[in-house]
CSV table of all heavy atoms in Angstrom, one decimal:
chain,number,residue,atom,x,y,z
A,11,ASN,N,16.5,99.4,22.1
A,11,ASN,CA,16.0,98.1,21.7
A,11,ASN,C,15.7,97.3,22.9
A,11,ASN,O,16.6,96.8,23.6
A,11,ASN,CB,17.0,97.4,20.8
A,11,ASN,CG,16.6,96.0,20.4
A,11,ASN,OD1,15.4,95.6,20.6
A,11,ASN,ND2,17.5,95.2,19.8
A,13,LYS,N,14.3,94.5,23.2
A,13,LYS,CA,14.3,93.0,22.9
A,13,LYS,C,13.1,92.4,23.6
A,13,LYS,O,12.0,93.0,23.6
A,13,LYS,CB,15.6,92.4,23.4
A,13,LYS,CG,16.8,93.2,22.9
A,13,LYS,CD,18.1,92.5,23.1
A,13,LYS,CE,19.3,93.5,22.7
A,13,LYS,NZ,20.5,92.8,22.6
A,97,HIS,N,18.8,92.9,12.7
A,97,HIS,CA,19.5,92.8,14.0
A,97,HIS,C,20.2,91.5,14.1
A,97,HIS,O,19.8,90.4,13.6
A,97,HIS,CB,18.5,93.0,15.1
A,97,HIS,CG,19.1,93.2,16.5
A,97,HIS,ND1,19.6,92.1,17.2
A,97,HIS,CD2,19.4,94.3,17.1
A,97,HIS,CE1,20.2,92.6,18.3
A,97,HIS,NE2,20.1,93.9,18.3
A,169,GLU,N,26.8,97.3,14.4
A,169,GLU,CA,26.7,96.6,15.7
A,169,GLU,C,27.6,95.3,15.6
A,169,GLU,O,27.2,94.3,15.2
A,169,GLU,CB,25.3,96.2,16.1
A,169,GLU,CG,24.3,97.3,16.1
A,169,GLU,CD,23.1,96.9,17.0
A,169,GLU,OE1,22.4,96.0,16.6
A,169,GLU,OE2,23.1,97.4,18.1
A,173,ALA,N,30.1,92.5,20.5
A,173,ALA,CA,29.9,93.6,21.5
A,173,ALA,C,28.5,93.7,22.0
A,173,ALA,O,28.2,94.4,23.0
A,173,ALA,CB,30.4,94.9,20.9
A,174,ILE,N,27.6,92.9,21.4
A,174,ILE,CA,26.2,93.1,21.8
A,174,ILE,C,25.9,92.3,23.0
A,174,ILE,O,26.0,91.0,23.0
A,174,ILE,CB,25.2,92.7,20.6
A,174,ILE,CG1,25.5,93.6,19.4
A,174,ILE,CG2,23.8,92.7,21.0
A,174,ILE,CD1,24.6,93.3,18.2
A,175,GLY,N,25.5,93.0,24.1
A,175,GLY,CA,25.0,92.3,25.3
A,175,GLY,C,26.2,91.6,26.1
A,175,GLY,O,26.0,90.9,27.0
A,213,GLY,N,26.2,100.3,17.8
A,213,GLY,CA,25.5,99.5,18.9
A,213,GLY,C,26.4,98.5,19.4
A,213,GLY,O,27.2,97.9,18.6
A,214,GLY,N,26.4,98.2,20.6
A,214,GLY,CA,27.2,97.1,21.2
A,214,GLY,C,27.7,97.6,22.6
A,214,GLY,O,28.7,98.3,22.7
A,215,SER,N,26.9,97.3,23.6
A,215,SER,CA,27.2,97.7,25.0
A,215,SER,C,27.5,99.2,25.2
A,215,SER,O,28.4,99.6,25.9
A,215,SER,CB,28.4,96.8,25.5
A,215,SER,OG,28.1,95.4,25.5
A,216,MET,N,26.7,100.0,24.5
A,216,MET,CA,26.8,101.4,24.7
A,216,MET,C,26.1,101.7,26.1
A,216,MET,O,25.1,101.1,26.4
A,216,MET,CB,26.1,102.2,23.7
A,216,MET,CG,26.3,103.7,23.8
A,216,MET,SD,25.5,104.7,22.5
A,216,MET,CE,26.8,104.8,21.3
A,234,LEU,N,22.5,102.5,19.0
A,234,LEU,CA,21.4,101.6,19.2
A,234,LEU,C,21.8,100.9,20.5
A,234,LEU,O,22.8,100.3,20.6
A,234,LEU,CB,21.2,100.6,18.0
A,234,LEU,CG,20.0,99.7,18.1
A,234,LEU,CD1,18.7,100.5,18.3
A,234,LEU,CD2,20.0,98.8,16.9
A,235,VAL,N,20.9,101.0,21.5
A,235,VAL,CA,21.2,100.6,22.8
A,235,VAL,C,20.3,99.5,23.3
A,235,VAL,O,19.0,99.6,23.2
A,235,VAL,CB,21.0,101.8,23.8
A,235,VAL,CG1,21.5,101.5,25.2
A,235,VAL,CG2,21.8,103.0,23.3
A,236,GLY,N,20.8,98.4,23.7
A,236,GLY,CA,20.0,97.3,24.2
A,236,GLY,C,19.8,97.4,25.8
A,236,GLY,O,19.0,98.1,26.3
A,237,GLY,N,20.7,96.7,26.5
A,237,GLY,CA,20.6,96.6,27.9
A,237,GLY,C,20.3,97.9,28.6
A,237,GLY,O,19.5,98.0,29.5
B,1,PEP,C1,21.3,95.8,20.6
B,1,PEP,O1,20.4,95.1,21.0
B,1,PEP,O2,21.2,96.3,19.5
B,1,PEP,C2,22.4,96.1,21.5
B,1,PEP,C3,23.4,96.9,21.1
B,1,PEP,O3,22.4,95.6,22.8
B,1,PEP,P1,23.4,96.0,24.0
B,1,PEP,O4,23.4,97.5,24.1
B,1,PEP,O5,22.8,95.3,25.2
B,1,PEP,O6,24.8,95.5,23.7
Side-chain angles (χ1 to χ4, degrees):
N11 176 12
K13 312 193 188 195
H97 190 279
E169 301 202 289
I174 297 180
S215 300
M216 188 178 265
L234 185 57
V235 185

